[in-house]
Amino acid sequence: MFSDLPAAPDRVGDLWDISMARRTGTMLDRPHRVAYVYRTPDTSTFRYRVANTVDALNHADGDIGAAWYCDDELRALLRIVPELDVIVVARYPWNAALRELVQTAQRHGVPLVFDCDDLVFDVRFAEIVMSSLGKDVDVNAEWDVWFAYMGRLRASLDVCRGATTTNPVLAHQLASYVEDAPAIVPNVMNREQQAYSRELLDAKVAGGWRRDDQVTIGYFSGTPSHVRDFAVAGLSLARLLDEDDGVSVRIVGYLDDLGPLEPHRDRVEFQKFMHYVDLQRSIAEVEVNIAPLSHTAFNICKSDLKFFEAAAVGTWTVASHTPSLDHAIDDGVTGRLAKAHEWDGALREAVALARDTRAYADHALAAAEVAHSRWSWDAVAEPVARALAPYLGRRTR
């Protein structure tokens, strides 16, 4: 494990600790105005698809101003709809407040664009989504929840003219629902996250990639539903721990079902779900980051963030194949892609790489260079501006 890394910066506030008045003023200061609506600030979809995008647009050298609005702000947003060029409905399920906003937008000729980062807008995939998330399909209440949620998202999608999403697989799924071809807007780091990631990377370089004798493999669970995904690599991890006393595991987040790793619980470190900037340090401390995914229609739509957030801090990743991860990782150069039967070999290779300081540094730096360029905070401004270009300058007075 790497040590002596700089502590996370003191945070005065997050991107979502900004008043509505200030957000609106920033947006209205520019010739073109885009309002994003999302249910409530959170550390997953809101951060990547809304807060990071809005912040990047407002700091780019362009003429688009953006702001985000949540549940209790939608009716206040009605007053400035005539000043908008476009409204982005970011994974917002249909309700009365959204209906009022849509009706107002339609009266003023303001187009709506749907943004979604998961395959959750078509009830035909409800059982696949439930199964992928480890939900019990024999429980009627689960069907009630997921049909309601996905049906409401479909209702929101139905009033939108265009769509933005994270990858071509989801874009293809969305294409039949919107008039205009869906556009791809990638997930990226935000300014604070990237700056601290660079600081962590620089500390590794300055310290000569100094680490202790233990190789730590990290699994960073974003939701309580990742038991099935972790199981893809679980048996391979257990066999590795059986063979190699110099390997340990760090699990961050909600996962507490170790499955085949249970006999090695004393070599597994658990850390609670943490702020995303603090998480960058936790990822930086381990030598190997793993991103196993079960092969489902839901998971193949996942984005590449599990790779680039680790690469940005100089940590090697072993990941399952998905279209996004296949496109993100130069296999064997910036990370390792593993099919289900390849995890034993991929993990052994990763441990051997970690013990070869020079080789590890070369590979980690190659991955970091790509991450800080391709997924930098400002890399999203151009694709989102291109995606929204057809809707700008059309607002009516």
Side-chain angles (χ1 to χ4, degrees), residues 45 90-93 114-130 132-133 145-157 165 170 173-174 177 297-299 301-302:
T45 296
R91 200 166 168 167
Y92 195 111
F114 187 77
D115 181 88
C116 197
D117 57 352
D118 274 323
L119 187 59
V120 289
F121 46 82
D122 187 335
V123 294
R124 292 179 300 173
F125 294 100
E127 186 167 3
I128 292 173
V129 172
M130 291 162 60
S132 296
L133 297 176
V145 168
W146 286 96
F147 259 68
Y149 176 64
M150 296 172 74
R152 289 172 65 193
L153 285 176
R154 169 63 187 276
S156 299
L157 172 57
T165 190
L170 277 171
Q173 293 290 345
L174 284 162
Y177 299 108
F298 178 72
N299 278 343
C301 295
K302 289 293 185 181

Side-chain angles (χ1 to χ4, degrees), residues 181-193:
I184 295 172
V185 174
N187 288 332
V188 298
M189 294 178 280
N190 63 42
R191 290 178 295 139
E192 182 184 27
Q193 182 185 23

Side-chain angles (χ1 to χ4, degrees), residues 69-80:
Y69 300 87
C70 291
D71 267 348
D72 57 355
E73 299 171 335
L74 259 60
R75 289 192 165 95
L77 176 60
L78 296 176
R79 298 192 298 270
I80 60 170

